[in-house]
Amino acid sequence: MSKELPVLKVTMLGRFSVSWGEKDIAFKRTTSTKALQLFQILLYTKETGIQRTRLLDYLYSRDELADMANNLRVTSHRLKKMLVDAGLPEYDYIQIKKGVYKWNSPMEVEVDALELKKLIEKSEETEDIRTKMELLTKACRIYKGEFLPELSGEDWALLESVEYKKVYEKALKEVCEYKKAQKEYQSVLELSKSASEIYPFDEWQSVMMEALVAMNRYKEAIQIYEDTAKFFFAELGISPSEKMMEQFKEMSERVSYKPQVLKDIRGGLKEKYEEKGAYYCSLPSFRDTYRLVTRIIERNGQSVYLMLVTLTDGKGRPLENKERLKVLSEELDHTIKCSLRKGDSYTRYSPNQFLILLVGTKQENCPQIYDRITKYFSREHKTWAQYLEYYVSSIVDVEQKKSKITFNGQNDL
């Protein structure tokens, strides 16, 4: 192995990429998928090599081939040509000894996944807690996402991916707990932010919020909660965990403001941009508005109605097709905003349902409001009108449980 040649650096976590020195190695679109898979397998097993029988299983277990051995020979030949065409020097890159295939190259090779694994193993052998945490922190920073995501359909790659995620999460939890004890909150924030970007539904945002609160950065923590809640409702139709909601409550109580004149306070309360139409709220905000309005009407007797608009498959059943649901729900969101008054508010209650709070509306006006929504929603595609259904009830009836609108589970108002 020549020390004069640049290092071949390989990324397998989050994406697959190869660079040699200052040059990114790009493979042609016509590159054989099997040749690329063989390349990835040989790089990943470069330390020990891989038995021919296992290699055949990795590459061809799902293919009905009469002669897998011959296919492996053809694939090996294609791989060697592919590497040279990509700009690597001519070399016998595949070494075969006693039925074991092993990567063989004139340059040193660094694979991020293998480097992470070594750091974890070294940390397990280390007794000094500070050194251990330094190793685990390096490992966490190497992790950028799923192992070879393009091969997630292959059993061997999927199993490795699951294992890497477990190792990453375990290491990150240990590091964050240690750093919180050391009051290294900025480092905790950085690491948990990276984790939340990779796995946005695993609630690493909760750790971010905890770190920000510890640094007295309450407003930023509250913003993270609000962004996360909105994201969860938009993507999954659910609310964050009780832990996150409790954190939000505590933060809201602890936010401290310097004394300000009324003009400055009003500026902070106003909407940043003047917008037409109904006001969209996250579900937690809508819930608070609903509860406040319920209290107000007890005193002044104002007429307030709650409307539930549901996207269906056109036959009265909830729409479940994800692609169609995404398109129609985005359009319905826009429709509600444009069809209602500025004094009305609405929220996305579930992936296929929207709740609308109609303040000062009479019962006889509710069908007209729904007709307005339907016409706007189907203005370009007349058939879309069949995908909407609605039910409306006064808040008084909802509260007295005389309404068909009921709320259960974590979305309970």
Side-chain angles (χ1 to χ4, degrees):
M1 188 176 295
S2 174
K3 293 183 179 180
E4 297 177 3
L5 292 174
V7 175
L8 190 71
K9 295 186 177 181
V10 182
T11 299
M12 291 189 175
L13 298 170
R15 64 190 177 95
F16 178 70
S17 65
V18 182
S19 63
W20 188 42
E22 300 297 318
K23 178 183 178 182
D24 290 331
I25 302 297
F27 302 104
K28 296 178 181 178
R29 289 186 177 182
T30 54
T31 295
S32 165
T33 302
K34 292 299 181 185
L36 190 59
Q37 283 186 34
L38 176 59
F39 181 43
Q40 292 166 331
I41 292 168
L42 291 174
L43 288 172
Y44 188 59
T45 60
K46 70 184 184 71
E47 305 291 343
T48 59
I50 181 170
Q51 287 285 343
R52 179 170 169 274
T53 51
R54 177 173 291 185
L55 183 56
L56 289 171
D57 182 57
Y58 282 4
L59 288 170
Y60 306 112
S61 61
R62 299 188 180 189
D63 303 328
E64 295 182 5
L65 300 174
D67 190 350
M68 289 192 291
N70 183 60
N71 275 272
L72 180 56
R73 284 192 291 272
V74 173
T75 301
S76 299
H77 176 74
R78 285 177 179 167
L79 172 57
K80 293 173 184 177
K81 185 177 186 305
M82 178 185 87
L83 296 175
V84 175
D85 289 345
L88 294 179
E90 294 239 12
Y91 201 76
D92 187 12
Y93 289 97
I94 304 174
Q95 185 182 80
I96 308 171
K97 287 184 179 179
K98 297 181 180 180
V100 175
Y101 282 65
K102 191 174 183 181
W103 174 259
N104 183 44
S105 65
M107 73 286 287
E108 184 183 348
V109 178
E110 292 179 0
V111 180
D112 63 341
L114 299 180
E115 179 63 22
L116 185 150
K117 192 175 283 190
K118 286 178 183 175
L119 287 168
I120 296 295
E121 290 172 354
K122 194 171 180 181
S123 73
E124 291 171 350
E125 298 168 358
T126 304
E127 293 184 5
D128 180 70
I129 186 65
R130 190 171 186 82
T131 304
K132 179 184 179 74
M133 291 303 143
E134 286 174 357
L135 292 168
L136 290 179
T137 301
K138 286 182 182 178
C140 290
R141 288 187 171 135
I142 288 174
Y143 191 86
K144 301 298 181 184
E146 302 292 322
F147 173 78
L148 291 178
E150 301 88 351
L151 295 185
S152 59
E154 302 296 329
D155 291 344
W156 75 270
L158 179 62
L159 291 173
E160 291 293 324
S161 184
V162 170
E163 190 58 33
Y164 274 110
K165 184 181 179 183
K166 285 181 183 177
V167 166
Y168 168 66
E169 289 180 334
K170 182 176 182 293
L172 186 55
K173 286 175 183 175
E174 286 187 50
V175 169
C176 286
E177 287 304 316
Y178 173 78
K179 289 184 177 291
K180 280 189 282 186
Q182 300 298 310
K183 302 189 184 306
E184 298 176 20
Y185 300 117
Q186 187 59 44
S187 184
V188 173
L189 179 61
E190 173 204 336
L191 291 166
S192 55
K193 182 176 186 293
S194 177
S196 70
E197 289 169 353
I198 298 170
Y199 297 113
F201 298 113
D202 288 2
E203 294 203 351
W204 286 103
Q205 298 91 334
S206 180
V207 181
M208 292 174 65
M209 289 159 58
E210 192 176 345
L212 286 167
V213 167
M215 292 186 283
N216 296 320
R217 291 159 62 178
Y218 297 108
K219 291 182 183 179
E220 292 175 65
I222 288 173
Q223 187 62 54
I224 286 173
Y225 172 82
E226 291 178 345
D227 291 343
T228 303
K230 185 176 180 181
F231 178 74
F232 273 39
F233 285 123
E235 297 296 324
L236 301 177
I238 63 172
S239 58
S241 67
E242 287 297 324
K243 178 184 176 183
M244 283 193 73
M245 295 186 82
E246 189 61 32
Q247 279 181 299
F248 175 72
K249 181 181 177 183
E250 291 177 6
M251 287 185 299
S252 299
E253 293 171 352
R254 292 170 64 181
V255 171
S256 59
Y257 295 92
K258 294 178 182 179
Q260 299 180 62
V261 297
L262 185 59
K263 180 181 69 174
D264 295 333
I265 294 173
R266 184 180 61 193
L269 293 174
K270 283 182 63 177
E271 291 184 66
K272 290 183 179 179
Y273 307 102
E274 189 72 22
E275 292 189 10
K276 296 180 180 179
Y279 184 73
Y280 177 84
C281 308
S282 65
L283 188 51
S285 297
F286 186 88
R287 179 185 58 198
D288 290 339
T289 303
Y290 172 89
R291 291 173 178 174
L292 177 60
V293 169
T294 301
R295 291 187 176 202
I296 291 173
I297 64 173
E298 287 178 2
R299 185 176 68 249
N300 65 16
Q302 189 176 17
S303 173
V304 180
Y305 283 82
L306 191 64
M307 181 179 287
L308 180 67
V309 181
T310 303
L311 284 165
T312 74
D313 63 357
K315 297 179 181 179
R317 295 185 295 265
L319 182 61
E320 295 180 350
N321 182 295
K322 289 185 178 180
E323 292 182 5
R324 180 176 286 273
L325 180 58
K326 184 176 186 297
V327 172
L328 294 183
S329 64
E330 287 177 356
E331 180 57 36
L332 183 54
D333 187 332
H334 175 69
T335 293
I336 294 171
K337 184 173 186 63
C338 295
S339 301
L340 301 182
R341 304 165 302 177
K342 291 181 69 174
D344 299 321
S345 58
Y346 73 103
T347 190
R348 187 172 182 174
Y349 180 67
S350 71
N352 68 320
Q353 292 180 307
F354 284 82
L355 274 174
I356 306 169
L357 197 60
L358 302 166
V359 180
T361 300
K362 296 179 180 179
Q363 185 173 8
E364 56 266 28
N365 293 333
C366 291
Q368 296 171 10
I369 293 170
Y370 176 69
D371 286 343
R372 193 158 70 239
I373 291 171
T374 304
K375 285 177 183 176
Y376 193 98
F377 183 70
S378 58
R379 67 194 183 283
E380 294 180 7
H381 308 278
K382 299 301 180 186
T383 58
W384 280 19
Q386 66 183 316
Y387 297 124
L388 294 185
E389 285 189 358
Y390 87 108
Y391 187 82
V392 68
S393 180
S394 70
I395 282 187
V396 173
D397 287 343
V398 173
E399 288 300 301
Q400 294 178 355
K401 303 189 184 303
K402 295 178 181 179
S403 166
K404 291 182 181 179
I405 298 181
T406 58
F407 306 101
N408 300 303
Q410 60 184 324
N411 287 350
D412 196 352
L413 291 178

